[in-house]
Amino acid sequence: AAISSVEFTLRPLVLTGVGYRAAIIRIDDHTAVVVESRRGLGVDWRLGDHAGILVYTVDTSVGQHQGPLRLQIPEGRSRERIYGQGWPDALLRRGDSVTVEGLTIELVQSGEYDRVRISN
């Protein structure tokens, strides 16, 4: 039986220390959903004060140049590039959720770490 809901904690990708940096949920043989914790530090400095989780799908059956990665953006947000150089408004902030492949991914808490809930 499939789990109905699970929660876990992610540590921002750019910070050192212990903790998971990303969650990868396998959907089928060639599709996965990836959840990463991001902060406006290090390589992500362009995010500035923006913090939250990034959710995207990976489809390994799609060629490298045809876009195997697809950002999952909360409803009502723009896919236009913002944040200076070119990030869509894709970070989930506390209380935001996206539904992809039948899974709802929600950012429950955000601070030094991000608390993520996935339910179906």
Side-chain angles (χ1 to χ4, degrees):
I3 47 171
S4 56
S5 180
V6 63
E7 282 193 21
F8 53 88
T9 299
L10 292 179
R11 186 165 174 77
L13 274 180
V14 293
L15 297 183
T16 55
V18 292
Y20 292 107
R21 299 299 197 277
I24 300 171
I25 302 101
R26 182 179 175 273
I27 302 299
D28 58 34
D29 286 346
H30 54 81
T31 313
V33 178
V34 182
V35 183
E36 295 176 347
S37 174
R38 307 298 280 263
R39 295 292 183 275
L41 303 163
V43 294
D44 284 345
W45 63 271
R46 290 188 186 100
L47 294 176
D49 294 336
H50 298 276
I53 57 172
L54 195 63
V55 178
Y56 58 91
T57 55
V58 180
D59 184 346
T60 58
S61 69
V62 174
Q64 189 69 41
H65 300 292
Q66 291 150 337
L69 304 185
R70 292 238 175 275
L71 273 179
Q72 303 298 316
I73 297 181
E75 253 181 80
R77 297 270 192 86
S78 169
R79 287 189 175 272
E80 295 304 307
R81 294 176 178 276
I82 57 167
Y83 300 149
Q85 295 272 347
W87 274 73
D89 190 7
L91 283 183
L92 275 69
R93 300 182 270 275
R94 193 166 57 87
D96 285 342
S97 66
V98 292
T99 299
V100 53
E101 300 287 350
L103 298 174
T104 298
I105 299 157
E106 179 186 358
L107 182 56
V108 181
Q109 277 177 292
S110 185
E112 190 182 345
Y113 293 81
D114 285 327
R115 186 83 182 151
V116 180
R117 179 184 299 133
I118 298 182
S119 47
N120 57 7

